[in-house]
Amino acid sequence: AAVERAVASRLAQVERAAAGSAGSVLAVHVRRGDKYVESATIAREAYEAAASAMVKRHNVSGVIVASDDAEQARGLEAWAHAQGLEVLNAWREEARHRGPNNMLALSTHSLDLVTYALTGMVTASTLALGQLFLGTFSSNLSRLAFELALARRRPRAPPCSLDLLWAASP
């Protein structure tokens, strides 16, 4: 029960910040860690370039950053601050795993699955608070976050996926 209260409190805090943002809120999810074998790693500069275009086009004033890579998250937070954008969340509370450490934990089953699942839900729910989305659709978490945003009727523009299209034509 304490975990659920903490999750609800965290989501409410970010939701209030997003609702109070003067302009649009851009949600950015940088995937590293456990997908490196399945898809290419995309440089942070590519995220920054795409985010810059979205900021200019959509009057963005706030950013939600989520990543499984601490360095990438800090870099994007620094980029957002340099652009005069408000960072509405703290990635440290939402990173589910840490690259090779996650792979080791999964292979040895030394992982608290409840915490892992709850943190994933918090991350997806937090990202879904954005009206704009930037990420990679090779990531299940990115797709889920965008689908949650669609269900809440939040998106103001199509998502920007840096690797896969939302749907492939046959």
Side-chain angles (χ1 to χ4, degrees):
V3 173
E4 287 93 1
R5 283 193 301 276
V7 167
S9 172
R10 180 68 184 127
L11 284 174
Q13 178 185 10
V14 177
E15 190 160 18
R16 282 190 302 277
S21 187
S24 296
V25 174
L26 172 62
V28 182
H29 180 234
V30 179
R31 184 63 179 264
R32 292 283 190 267
D34 60 342
K35 284 285 190 178
Y36 77 97
V37 173
E38 297 173 29
S39 59
T41 299
I42 297 169
R44 187 174 67 236
E45 293 77 16
Y47 283 91
E48 291 171 357
S52 291
M54 295 175 85
V55 165
K56 289 176 189 168
R57 191 175 304 125
H58 298 289
N59 186 34
V60 172
S61 63
V63 177
I64 295 169
V65 177
S67 181
D68 58 355
D69 183 316
E71 181 180 334
Q72 297 301 315
R74 279 192 297 267
L76 279 169
E77 287 177 358
W79 170 87
H81 288 298
Q83 306 305 308
L85 303 172
E86 180 182 6
V87 176
L88 303 176
N89 69 318
W91 70 268
R92 292 158 202 83
E93 297 174 17
E94 295 157 355
R96 288 197 303 163
H97 38 257
R98 309 280 189 265
N101 293 335
N102 179 55
M103 290 177 277
L104 177 62
L106 289 174
S107 66
T108 62
H109 304 287
S110 62
L111 183 68
D112 178 349
L113 291 178
V114 172
T115 301
Y116 183 84
L118 283 173
T119 310
M121 292 181 343
V122 169
T123 302
S125 297
T126 301
L127 287 167
L129 294 172
Q131 292 96 10
L132 304 164
F133 184 81
L134 171 60
T136 56
F137 283 151
S138 62
S139 164
N140 296 326
L141 189 76
S142 284
R143 291 192 315 273
L144 174 60
F146 184 71
E147 289 169 357
L148 288 170
L150 281 175
R152 293 176 177 169
R153 302 183 191 280
R154 289 193 184 274
R156 292 189 180 161
C160 179
S161 175
L162 296 178
D163 63 352
L164 301 176
L165 298 175
W166 176 246
S169 299

